[in-house]
Amino acid sequence: MLILDYPYVSKLLKNTAAELQIPVLKNEMAAGLKTEKKLNLLEEDEFIKLIKEKGECALYSNSENSIGWISENLGFTGLPEKIELFKNKVKFRELLERLYPELYFKSVKFEELDKIRVEEIKKPFIIKPAVGFFSLGVHKVSTNEEWDSVLKSIKAEVEEIKKLYPEQVLNMENFIIEGNIEGEEFAVDAYFNREGKPVVLDIFKHIFSSENDVSDRVYFTSKKIIETYREAIEDLLKEIGNLAGLRNFPLHLELRISQDRRIQPIELNPMRFAGLCVTDIAYFAYGINTYRYFLEQLEPDWNKILADKEGKSFCFIMLNKSEDLNLKDVKAFDYEKLLSDFEKPLELRKADYETRGYFGYMFTETRDSSWSEIERILKSDLREYITFKEAASASSVLKNNVQK
């Protein structure tokens, strides 16, 4: 069964729902979707009744906007408790404390951030919303001197973010401070089947432009990544599944893997795969329709899937704005120029940047020999694709002259 909600439903997801005739909750988003074959829409009462009749069923939601509805209407399933266990990063840390007793974490309210004695906290540390989405509101603090600047940024972000996301998705009232987890960062789309077995559908590596970069600009997946880490990640998921009693449960897991192969979870997002339907990269890369695999309880034949993937990476590129860019100053974004800068763009998904706060995202297939195109976009502030309004351009020139 499916709950489709704002802000975005991809063509792959809605067409899969229509093709399989999976029952879909009739809400504003689902009712407005256009598909070649009609969606199997159910009114709220019908949808809830069907879940009761089925008992345990595979329920997927593309968006955390639906968490409020699930909490209000599906309490009898036990899902609200499972969602809270993972969505609240403090409770997630408490769940894993017996596996990672050495990891420091502390919950703090937004209004108490000014009272923090930063010199008493071991550095580097990460501070982020206890209930968050993507890397919004996430900051790394490496020295005492950085704290004032980070605190100022957090306060500014709170005001901006409150306008864009419901509190079930991103709640800025409570923050978590936790020790920095060393290692390379990865993200995983997976699900627990009806027997409680974890099934990995994709593994992405998250790369950064610098040590203090915490943005979501580039993730990529490849044959090497899948073959190197899949079994170890499955073992970790088994431990999490045993602790939380998970069955028929889709998830998006973020983690770090150290040089000695020790895996440390960062966070686990329940009921969905990668946000904004970014999970579709598995379809472009490996032919894996992650929605269908979960709903039909399918498992990838990785040996067969990876046979012809040598020397290629499949990248997700988030077109997020730089911190100092005011979107009100933007007149246009040149998507055609962006596409021309890549050897093999697979799909571009534009966003209304004035309301969403970013320009969109894209998928690419990149040969190892062309990796420089990914390194370039990783470090770009995207200004080469932006046309500014005249007043903003003049202001920018004046600012640059003053700095000189």
Side-chain angles (χ1 to χ4, degrees), residues 267-282:
E267 61 185 57
L268 188 152
N269 301 114
M271 301 302 298
R272 66 169 176 86
F273 301 134
L276 299 174
C277 294
V278 170
T279 188
D280 295 357
I281 194 173

Side-chain angles (χ1 to χ4, degrees), residues 14-261:
K14 66 182 183 182
N15 285 346
T16 299
E19 179 187 343
L20 299 180
Q21 283 297 286
I22 295 293
V24 176
L25 176 67
K26 186 178 181 181
N27 55 20
E28 183 182 12
M29 181 59 155
L33 293 174
K34 292 181 171 58
T35 54
E36 291 183 11
K37 189 175 182 179
K38 279 190 175 182
L39 290 170
N40 180 16
L41 296 177
L42 299 184
E43 299 288 348
E44 284 194 359
D45 290 347
E46 295 177 283
F47 194 84
I48 296 167
K49 181 182 177 183
L50 184 57
I51 291 178
K52 286 181 177 178
E53 290 174 354
K54 285 176 173 286
E56 279 195 2
C57 66
L59 175 63
Y60 180 84
S61 177
N62 67 300
S63 170
E64 293 183 6
N65 286 10
S66 66
I67 288 175
W69 188 90
I70 292 172
S71 297
E72 291 173 14
N73 296 280
L74 301 183
F76 60 91
T77 65
L79 281 174
E81 290 81 8
K82 293 285 195 297
I83 291 170
E84 176 67 11
L85 183 61
F86 296 116
K87 188 59 188 165
N88 186 309
K89 294 177 177 62
V90 176
K91 290 187 177 182
F92 182 53
R93 284 286 162 231
E94 291 171 348
L95 174 73
L96 298 183
E97 201 164 7
R98 71 184 75 173
L99 300 179
Y100 303 96
E102 73 282 2
L103 184 64
Y104 169 83
F105 67 93
K106 175 183 175 64
S107 177
V108 59
K109 293 184 178 297
F110 171 71
E111 62 264 24
E112 295 176 355
L113 290 179
D114 286 312
K115 300 176 184 177
I116 288 176
R117 298 179 66 85
V118 71
E119 65 276 4
E120 296 178 359
I121 303 175
K122 183 180 177 181
K123 297 167 196 68
F125 68 82
I126 302 294
I127 181 166
K128 57 189 176 182
V131 177
F133 179 65
F134 273 133
S135 292
L136 298 171
V138 179
H139 293 271
K140 181 177 181 180
V141 180
S142 300
T143 66
N144 293 337
E145 291 71 29
E146 291 175 358
W147 177 242
D148 286 342
S149 175
V150 167
L151 188 55
K152 184 178 180 182
S153 294
I154 288 173
K155 290 178 177 179
E157 288 165 358
V158 165
E159 295 306 312
E160 185 175 352
I161 288 171
K162 278 182 178 179
K163 303 171 188 174
L164 297 176
Y165 298 94
E167 69 175 42
Q168 293 94 343
V169 175
L170 188 62
N171 187 330
M172 305 295 277
E173 291 181 5
N174 294 289
F175 281 73
I176 181 171
I177 293 173
E178 58 186 17
N180 186 53
I181 301 173
E182 297 295 338
E184 296 181 305
E185 186 172 316
F186 295 82
V188 180
D189 285 337
Y191 73 90
F192 287 87
N193 67 16
R194 60 179 66 92
E195 283 82 38
K197 175 187 175 183
V199 178
V200 171
L201 299 174
D202 199 7
I203 304 171
F204 320 74
K205 185 174 182 179
H206 187 186
I207 55 176
F208 301 91
S209 62
S210 68
E211 185 179 336
N212 286 323
D213 180 18
V214 293
S215 73
D216 287 304
R217 174 58 59 82
V218 176
Y219 290 79
F220 74 96
T221 185
S222 68
K223 176 180 179 177
K224 182 179 179 181
I225 288 172
I226 300 293
E227 290 182 337
T228 303
Y229 300 109
R230 179 174 61 84
E231 290 183 0
I233 289 171
E234 285 175 350
D235 289 341
L236 171 64
L237 287 171
K238 286 175 187 174
E239 291 190 280
I240 294 174
N242 289 335
L243 288 172
L246 301 178
R247 292 194 303 273
N248 280 321
F249 197 83
L251 61 95
H252 178 72
L253 173 68
E254 297 179 12
L255 50 86
R256 285 188 182 272
I257 303 178
S258 61
Q259 289 184 341
D260 61 2
R261 292 295 180 89

